[in-house]
Amino acid sequence: MLSLSSFTINRDRMIQEQLQARGIEDARVLEAMQQIPRHIFVEDALQEQAYGDFPLPIGCGQTISQPYIVALMTEALELEGHEKVLEIGTGSGYQAVVLSQLCARVYTVERFEQLMNRARRLFDRLRCHNISSRLDDGTMGWPAEAPFDRIIVTAAGPQVPEPLLEQLADPGRLIIPVGDRFNQMLQVVELVQGQLHVHDITPVRFVDLVGAHGWPAD
Ligand code: SAH
């Protein structure tokens, strides 16, 4: 087991070598990822790899995204602090905790109960009281809490789920990987005065978004 200070050193290197060196500039995003102990979001045997430049398994066939992808998606949301953010795909809970430091309130949805239970324990442990979570099919969004200023989908689907577009505030921004099961494009969908504008960010590979408006379950 590495000591706490080794984790801190690894985290400093992650910020410099993986994020700043590749162009992540949002000081609030860098500060949040500097503070959050990413290693507690993975099982003990993987903790020493938690600051590496790759995704890691978190159980149920799912992964915690590579640090750079978390930073890139978070930066693309352009958070100022007052926003209500919906995340689809809680997974380990790491992305939700990053968001919780940068906006007013996070609503996060996960389809696996085992992952949700573990993530909820971490939200409590880190005292992230501005995160609400729900076990459900996130492709349906969270209608009771809509509209959302920002929506981030951390699993890849064949298209942007229609309910998410309906639950996006105007103005609003949604970020999602879209494509087939092996190659996807990270897209930003902006809603401004009733008009949708879509921009491609970069090719990516995510786990499947499984649900009524995603891929069918195997
Ligand atoms: N944001 C996570 C990444 C998890 S990987 C993190 O920081 O660790 C993507 C997650 O999306 C998986 O946990 C998967 O179970 C979940 N997922 C896939 N389809 C979903 C759906 N329709 N609704 C909710 N969660 C879904």
Side-chain angles (χ1 to χ4, degrees):
M1 230 337 234
L2 291 172
S3 70
L4 192 60
S5 60
S6 316
F7 285 129
T8 309
I9 292 165
N10 289 348
R11 197 146 67 228
D12 287 345
R13 290 188 55 182
M14 172 188 89
I15 298 290
Q16 286 165 23
E17 296 172 11
Q18 300 172 38
L19 309 190
Q20 289 180 303
R22 293 187 188 133
I24 302 296
E25 289 179 336
D26 186 326
R28 296 176 69 240
V29 175
L30 294 168
E31 172 69 16
M33 291 182 68
Q34 169 70 57
Q35 297 298 326
I36 297 165
R38 180 174 160 95
H39 58 279
I40 68 173
F41 293 84
V42 298
E43 63 181 273
D44 290 356
L46 296 177
Q47 289 201 343
E48 293 178 21
Q49 298 180 59
Y51 299 97
D53 193 13
F54 36 74
L56 285 171
I58 55 173
C60 302
Q62 308 304 316
T63 54
I64 177 174
S65 303
Q66 177 191 4
Y68 174 64
I69 294 295
V70 174
L72 189 67
M73 291 177 83
T74 309
E75 185 170 70
L77 288 176
E78 298 185 359
L79 297 169
E80 292 177 350
H82 54 82
E83 299 86 357
K84 208 170 146 179
V85 180
L86 174 66
E87 180 197 27
I88 308 306
T90 314
S92 68
Y94 177 69
Q95 173 77 70
V97 169
V98 172
L99 294 169
S100 78
Q101 306 302 297
L102 301 171
C103 70
R105 183 143 211 110
V106 181
Y107 297 83
T108 184
V109 186
E110 170 58 51
R111 59 188 288 268
F112 283 109
E113 188 169 16
Q114 182 188 329
L115 296 178
M116 183 51 93
N117 289 342
R118 205 162 25 159
R120 282 179 175 156
R121 281 198 292 276
L122 290 167
F123 300 156
D124 287 344
R125 179 168 162 194
L126 295 171
R127 298 192 180 80
C128 294
H129 302 305
N130 63 341
I131 302 179
S132 304
S133 58
R134 173 184 167 94
L135 189 68
D136 206 347
D137 172 7
T139 68
M140 303 301 291
W142 191 328
E145 296 294 347
F148 299 97
D149 304 301
R150 304 285 189 270
I151 300 179
I152 174 172
V153 185
T154 64
Q159 73 272 313
V160 183
E162 195 61 37
L164 300 186
L165 291 176
E166 287 163 8
Q167 293 170 35
L168 189 61
D170 185 353
R173 285 170 86 80
L174 179 155
I175 180 156
I176 181 172
V178 174
D180 63 29
R181 284 190 134 136
F182 304 102
N183 299 285
Q184 305 112 24
M185 182 56 73
L186 193 58
Q187 294 190 322
V188 176
V189 180
E190 267 186 290
L191 179 60
V192 185
Q193 296 180 347
Q195 300 283 325
L196 289 174
H197 307 269
V198 182
H199 313 275
D200 290 350
I201 303 189
T202 189
V204 284
R205 179 151 184 201
F206 275 76
V207 296
D208 288 354
L209 179 69
V210 176
H213 296 265
W215 298 107
D218 290 328

